[in-house]
Amino acid sequence: MIYLIDNFLDDKLFKSTADHLNNNNYNEYKTPGKSFWVQEAEPEFISNVLEILSKKEGRELESVLGFFRVSTDVIDSEWRIHSDGIINNEQPDRAVVLYISPKEMQELHGTAFWDHKQYGNKQPKNISSEEYNNFLIKESGNLNNWKLNTVLGYEQNRLISYPANYFHSKYPNKSWKKGRQVFVMFYKIK
């Protein structure tokens, strides 16, 4: 199940988070075939997010990984349709995206969910990390093998939670000049 929560953070925490991101630099983080521009999230911020989500879901949760990320019209501008079924050699149950920066695009944008011609809407359970990495390199930008399922629209301070194994991407592939700032977290049910 995919769900969203508008006005996720209270005004004070949201403003302090946005101010912190705007007053600090994003650092390039290189992975095989892809670079991300990130800022670390403080453990206290991650705890706050988990507390809100735990109340919403009615169960105890734990973070696998959480960080802030930026994309612009130049950096991180590939489609890179993927799933997050394996993060730091763990299998998170769910993933979240929390939109931080003000939206600057009038056309539809946000988080897209996709169906792959062979695998459907989610990463196969029995695929190895090596097979999946090869799949990403070959398929993540090849729109001929994907069908757009839905786009959840971007709104500042909106959180989207979805199963970590769902295929998704930002939508569209390019963000605006000042940057699309988001908090990303992968988490497990305890």
Side-chain angles (χ1 to χ4, degrees):
M1 170 182 80
I2 299 170
Y3 69 84
L4 61 87
I5 304 172
D6 284 330
N7 302 311
F8 181 75
L9 299 176
D10 66 52
D11 291 343
K12 183 179 178 184
L13 181 54
F14 184 82
K15 184 178 180 339
S16 67
T17 300
D19 290 346
H20 177 79
L21 293 176
N22 291 328
N23 290 317
N24 289 283
N25 292 324
Y26 285 86
N27 298 307
E28 184 176 7
Y29 179 78
K30 293 182 180 185
T31 64
K34 175 78 175 150
S35 286
F36 301 93
W37 282 261
V38 301
Q39 285 188 40
E40 287 188 39
E42 296 292 328
E44 183 179 347
F45 182 84
I46 292 173
S47 292
N48 285 330
V49 170
L50 284 171
E51 182 179 334
I52 297 167
L53 290 172
S54 291
K55 287 178 185 173
K56 166 72 177 171
E57 295 189 16
R59 51 194 175 187
E60 199 173 342
L61 308 172
E62 65 179 323
S63 173
V64 173
L65 177 67
F67 55 90
F68 295 97
R69 180 175 169 188
V70 69
S71 62
T72 69
D73 56 340
V74 178
I75 63 168
D76 194 8
S77 60
E78 300 85 25
W79 277 106
R80 197 171 185 281
I81 301 166
H82 66 286
S83 72
D84 300 304
I86 301 171
I87 300 293
N88 288 344
N89 296 318
E90 292 189 56
Q91 292 183 317
D93 295 305
R94 298 188 65 82
V96 297
V97 176
L98 173 62
Y99 302 127
I100 304 290
S101 55
K103 71 182 205 177
E104 294 191 17
M105 296 174 77
Q106 297 306 310
E107 63 270 18
L108 178 62
H109 65 289
T111 300
F113 293 91
W114 300 84
D115 294 327
H116 185 262
K117 282 185 176 179
Q118 180 180 353
Y119 296 121
N121 68 346
K122 59 189 164 195
Q123 174 182 328
K125 287 183 181 181
N126 57 356
I127 194 169
S128 71
S129 293
E130 184 178 333
E131 288 174 299
Y132 186 66
N133 287 335
N134 288 334
F135 167 78
L136 277 181
I137 290 167
K138 182 180 171 189
E139 298 287 322
S140 65
N142 183 356
L143 294 184
N144 293 325
N145 289 331
W146 297 95
K147 179 182 175 194
L148 181 62
N149 185 314
T150 192
V151 178
L152 295 179
Y154 188 107
E155 293 293 337
Q156 193 174 33
N157 201 13
R158 170 178 281 173
L159 177 129
I160 297 171
S161 176
Y162 52 91
N165 63 347
Y166 277 21
F167 290 121
H168 64 282
S169 72
K170 65 183 168 298
Y171 188 90
N173 58 320
K174 292 186 180 186
S175 302
W176 47 91
K177 187 174 184 176
K178 288 184 182 177
R180 173 190 193 260
Q181 296 175 322
V182 298
F183 172 68
V184 176
M185 185 177 72
F186 313 101
Y187 63 101
K188 288 179 156 181
I189 300 161
K190 280 190 175 181

